[in-house]
Amino acid sequence: MRNFGTFLLLSVAALSAQAGGLDDPFGTAGQLPLKPSPRLLARVGEAPCATALPASPLTAIDAVDLMLCNHPQTREVWASARAQAALLGVARAGWLPSLSGSASTTRFEYQNTAYTRDAAAVTLSWLLYDFGQRSANVENAGQLLAAAAATQDATVQTLFLSALQTYYAAQATQAAVASAAQAERSARESYQAAEARYGVGIATPADRLQAQTALSQATLNRIKAEGEARNALGALANALGFGAQQPIALADLPALPAGVGFQKEVDALIAEAQARRPDLKAAEAQLKAAQAGVDLARAQGRPTISLGAGPTWQESAGVTQQGGSLGLTLNVPIFSGFDTTYRVRSAAAQADVREAQRDRIRNQVALDVWKAYQSLTTATQSLHTTADLVASAEQSERVALGRYKAGVGTILDVLSAQSALASARLQRIQAQLDWNVYRATLAQSVGALDYTLLQPAAEGRP
């Protein structure tokens, strides 16, 4: 019995040592992508997520940081990558032997005899050869981990773009409020001019009423613009993980760079996108994993060679027996009801599905780049045109108002010029919004959306 107790102690000690060892002996954590965190795409390392808005006015970079930190999708894709890394460790474990221990005690009682039988054994099992089954399993798990990493990158870029779109939309609504306030001031000036002329008898009541109507309309437009701005700020707060009622102060947008053109041609951008787009990389990895699945299904129907060894110990009625075994086992599947045949067919069909998905995404990448490129081209041209439009509309409004005050022009000329100026300012705001959004959209369609996109604009460089 003393030998049996010693065996149990040794077994418990071995199990404790195994449990207290490294929790990642295959180093799969080193193959994980970086955890989504602030400035993730600009530097290596992690930073704690912000739980509150910054004390200073919110910049575009702050908005991206908060969305990447607080959005549930970032936690979801990070957890998915960790799960797949663990499955890669499971696949690699198939190359190592397994060691197990067993122990039993049995009490026998007969008419005149009673005794106890104690037994213990340690068994080593090692699969030596399996015709590529483990290799295919490891390849499959490794490609799925690569797909999970690429999916995380694609999700981060999607959230990055969403944060910028929401932030720029809020900026545009605030600019629209300022434009509406300017239009209201101009309408009030026109009304005051019409009131002054009416007071001295050189203007008709119709001039005064038309100017008053234009002022009321301008005030109504300003009220609507303020409501839309509040809604946009609420949407931004919600997107960043806060309540819609959370007050947010937005930083001024940096001036657009003098050179807002782009040098690369669309063919070069499409080629770059097909090399960089994370969703296309994920599709490629999924295809390779499916192809490895075909090899795995074929190998599962082939023979295996295993090694088994281990000591045994038994004590029964005071008699102790010790022994051991060592042997090779050849397992040859002869007939499994065509299970392997249909597994291979299913795996091959899955590989065809993944290949078709890869090709579909590749075509979509080209379309995304083409549409984003053309949209940015249009927005760039609109920036130049709306700048000229606002300048000419401002001059026209000043001339019309001056002529009216001098008694030469009509109130209709003034109101028409002011309406054209208000429309030009709104078109300028929309053009600036479109340029910022389509610039980010093009970067995302190429697979190059990161914090460096915001740095040139912040520094005033093209």
Side-chain angles (χ1 to χ4, degrees):
M1 195 68 182
R2 182 174 60 254
N3 292 336
F4 180 66
T6 302
F7 175 83
L8 287 178
L9 289 175
L10 291 175
S11 300
V12 171
L15 292 174
S16 300
Q18 181 182 10
L22 297 175
D23 59 352
D24 188 16
F26 295 112
T28 57
Q31 298 178 249
L32 283 170
L34 292 177
K35 182 179 180 181
S37 61
R39 317 297 161 87
L40 168 67
L41 303 179
R43 61 176 172 80
V44 176
E46 298 182 8
C49 280
T51 57
L53 290 170
S56 57
L58 189 74
T59 65
I61 292 180
D62 295 331
V64 172
D65 279 350
L66 287 167
M67 179 167 281
L68 289 182
C69 274
N70 298 328
H71 203 283
Q73 272 190 284
T74 57
R75 301 196 304 271
E76 178 183 342
V77 293
W78 172 239
S80 296
R82 296 202 319 273
Q84 192 55 53
L87 290 178
L88 176 59
V90 172
R92 289 178 175 172
W95 288 98
L96 298 181
S98 62
L99 184 64
S100 61
S102 62
S104 65
T105 180
T106 306
R107 179 68 175 177
F108 295 93
E109 292 188 4
Y110 297 97
Q111 293 181 351
N112 298 319
T113 307
Y115 66 93
T116 300
R117 178 184 296 169
D118 298 322
V122 176
T123 303
L124 171 71
S125 299
W126 196 350
L127 180 62
L128 299 180
Y129 191 69
D130 59 1
F131 285 89
Q133 189 175 146
R134 288 171 296 182
S135 298
N137 198 21
V138 170
E139 175 67 13
N140 177 272
Q143 292 298 337
L144 290 178
L145 177 57
T151 300
Q152 175 178 292
D153 191 11
T155 301
V156 167
Q157 292 203 25
T158 299
L159 293 176
F160 197 113
L161 178 60
S162 178
L164 290 181
Q165 288 173 330
T166 309
Y167 180 82
Y168 289 140
Q171 286 279 9
T173 57
Q174 292 204 337
V177 170
S179 176
Q182 285 181 311
E184 185 182 19
R185 286 193 295 269
S186 297
R188 181 172 285 105
E189 185 178 3
S190 299
Y191 171 73
Q192 291 171 350
E195 182 75 16
R197 293 190 63 186
Y198 176 77
V200 296
I202 59 176
T204 65
D207 286 0
R208 179 173 173 271
L209 291 174
Q210 288 174 334
Q212 187 176 21
T213 300
L215 174 59
S216 298
Q217 184 63 55
T219 302
L220 179 60
N221 291 339
R222 189 256 305 160
I223 293 172
K224 288 183 177 179
E226 290 175 344
E228 291 175 356
R230 287 192 294 270
N231 285 334
L233 287 176
L236 177 60
N238 180 264
L240 301 185
F242 303 100
Q245 75 281 6
Q246 174 70 47
I248 297 180
L250 300 182
D252 294 334
L253 282 177
L256 294 179
V260 293
F262 29 92
Q263 299 176 354
K264 290 185 179 180
E265 295 297 332
V266 66
D267 290 341
L269 289 172
I270 290 175
E272 182 179 352
Q274 290 178 342
R276 297 186 60 169
R277 274 282 288 263
D279 53 346
L280 186 54
K281 289 182 179 180
E284 291 279 4
Q286 291 279 5
L287 173 58
K288 292 179 181 178
Q291 291 170 342
V294 177
D295 296 335
L296 176 61
R298 289 196 179 105
Q300 286 174 341
R302 294 170 179 167
T304 60
I305 300 176
S306 303
L307 170 68
T312 60
W313 174 87
Q314 177 176 295
E315 182 180 12
S316 177
V319 179
T320 300
Q321 294 179 339
Q322 294 181 350
S325 63
L326 174 65
L328 291 175
T329 301
L330 173 63
N331 182 24
V332 181
I334 297 176
F335 181 69
S336 59
F338 302 106
D339 176 82
T340 301
T341 300
Y342 288 104
R343 285 182 183 274
V344 172
R345 293 183 65 178
S346 175
Q350 286 295 325
D352 291 340
V353 169
R354 295 301 184 185
E355 184 176 11
Q357 290 175 343
R358 189 271 315 274
D359 294 341
R360 174 177 56 82
I361 292 174
R362 179 182 286 125
N363 291 336
Q364 185 63 44
V365 165
L367 178 61
D368 290 345
V369 174
W370 174 259
K371 293 173 67 174
Y373 181 88
Q374 300 304 330
S375 297
L376 183 56
T377 300
T378 301
T380 302
Q381 295 171 349
S382 298
L383 274 180
H384 296 298
T385 303
T386 54
D388 296 337
L389 179 63
V390 170
S392 61
E394 287 176 343
Q395 185 175 3
S396 176
E397 190 267 348
R398 287 194 298 268
V399 170
L401 183 60
R403 284 171 54 84
Y404 182 73
K405 287 181 178 180
V408 179
T410 67
I411 191 63
L412 291 178
D413 293 334
V414 176
L415 298 181
S416 177
Q418 289 178 344
S419 177
L421 176 58
S423 176
R425 285 171 175 161
L426 290 178
Q427 290 181 67
R428 176 65 176 174
I429 293 170
Q430 185 64 48
Q432 292 173 329
L433 170 64
D434 289 344
W435 189 83
N436 281 314
V437 169
Y438 288 134
R439 179 169 174 256
T441 302
L442 179 59
Q444 190 261 352
S445 67
V446 174
L449 181 57
D450 55 34
Y451 286 93
T452 59
L453 178 82
L454 305 177
Q455 299 303 326
E459 297 170 8
R461 298 193 306 267

